[in-house]
Amino acid sequence: MPLPDEAGFDIGAALGVPAMTAQRVLTVSEDGPRRLRPGALDGAVVLAAGGAGAVGHAVIQLARWAGATVISTVSGPDKARLAAAAGAHHVVDHREGDPAAEIRGIAPDGVDLVAEVALGVNLALDLAVLRARGTIATYANEGGRPVELDVTRHLVLNTRLQFLVLYTAGPQVRTAAAEDVAAALRDGALPVGEEHGLLTRFPLHRTADAHRAVESGTVGKVVVDV
């Protein structure tokens, strides 16, 4: 996909799989839109689990662009700052206090969509805050905890559990995702950098250090300047 003139290479490097995955996450609900644009998610409440991660960051940005109220869960103050910089309206530390009660205080009727990165770890919290006929869209299972389903509870909620990965989603899905991401770029909705979310930079001759940064779990995005 061509990079719009108004988007720099650092933004382009931070897109690809994360932003397109985020678009897919936000367009799989039974009652939700199939494409993203300003206003497409007006009135919806989106919970972005792990809002400091690459996909979570893009979920926050795209959901705000489309008009949703965005809540993000994080694990610690540094990640909370990143999620807030991405544009989350509310940030909840899931390791402190009662995160379900805090989220319910923000969204008394429950959240419409959960963008989930660690289903095995977070499913109990997701169910505690999901509205009836809500969707849990999961693109990863960080931590590797097995997922145990309380079938009756899901039945009562009419939960939609949507698993997704771009590579087998089909060409039409990927084309739609790329087009929506490009539209968001043109609107300036996907910025990166210190002001909008951490971007760790390395010069080309330190590419090995960039790989080490990724492997060591650096929070945010890592780019190499060429």
Side-chain angles (χ1 to χ4, degrees):
M1 293 293 294
L3 192 65
D5 291 340
E6 55 269 34
F9 289 133
D10 52 353
I11 294 178
L15 298 175
V17 171
M20 291 173 65
T21 298
Q23 187 274 355
R24 179 64 173 160
V25 164
L26 294 168
T27 55
V28 295
S29 297
E30 181 178 357
D31 301 321
R34 291 295 172 263
R35 297 292 297 267
L36 293 185
R37 65 184 186 282
L41 290 172
D42 279 356
V45 180
V46 172
L47 173 61
V55 176
H57 188 274
V59 166
I60 293 169
Q61 291 178 317
L62 288 174
R64 277 212 60 155
W65 174 66
T69 297
V70 185
I71 305 168
S72 180
T73 53
V74 296
S75 57
D78 289 341
K79 292 183 178 180
R81 283 190 289 271
L82 290 175
H89 296 92
H90 308 277
V91 181
V92 175
D93 189 333
H94 64 80
R95 295 183 178 179
E96 300 288 339
D98 186 341
E102 189 171 349
I103 293 169
R104 279 286 183 177
I106 298 165
D109 296 327
V111 303
D112 298 276
L113 170 68
V114 180
E116 187 54 75
V117 66
L119 186 65
V121 174
N122 294 332
L123 182 55
L125 174 60
D126 296 344
L127 279 177
V129 301
L130 193 70
R131 72 161 176 81
R133 298 179 71 235
T135 296
I136 302 171
T138 183
Y139 55 90
N141 190 29
E142 290 186 0
R145 181 182 296 181
V147 177
E148 297 184 6
L149 297 181
D150 182 339
V151 174
T152 299
R153 196 168 180 192
H154 284 285
L155 290 174
V156 171
L157 280 174
N158 274 270
T159 306
R160 170 174 287 204
L161 282 171
Q162 177 72 52
F163 297 87
L164 59 97
V165 66
L166 282 178
Y167 310 109
T168 54
Q172 291 182 327
V173 165
R174 289 192 294 271
T175 297
E179 290 175 352
D180 289 356
V181 168
L185 274 177
R186 288 191 291 270
D187 283 351
L190 289 163
V192 297
E194 193 67 36
E195 182 182 350
H196 308 286
L198 189 62
L199 190 71
T200 303
R201 315 184 77 104
F202 291 89
L204 181 60
H205 71 274
R206 293 186 59 201
T207 298
D209 290 332
H211 280 283
R212 293 185 189 101
V214 172
E215 291 168 355
S216 66
T218 294
V219 177
K221 300 172 174 65
V222 176
V223 298
V224 176
D225 286 313
V226 180

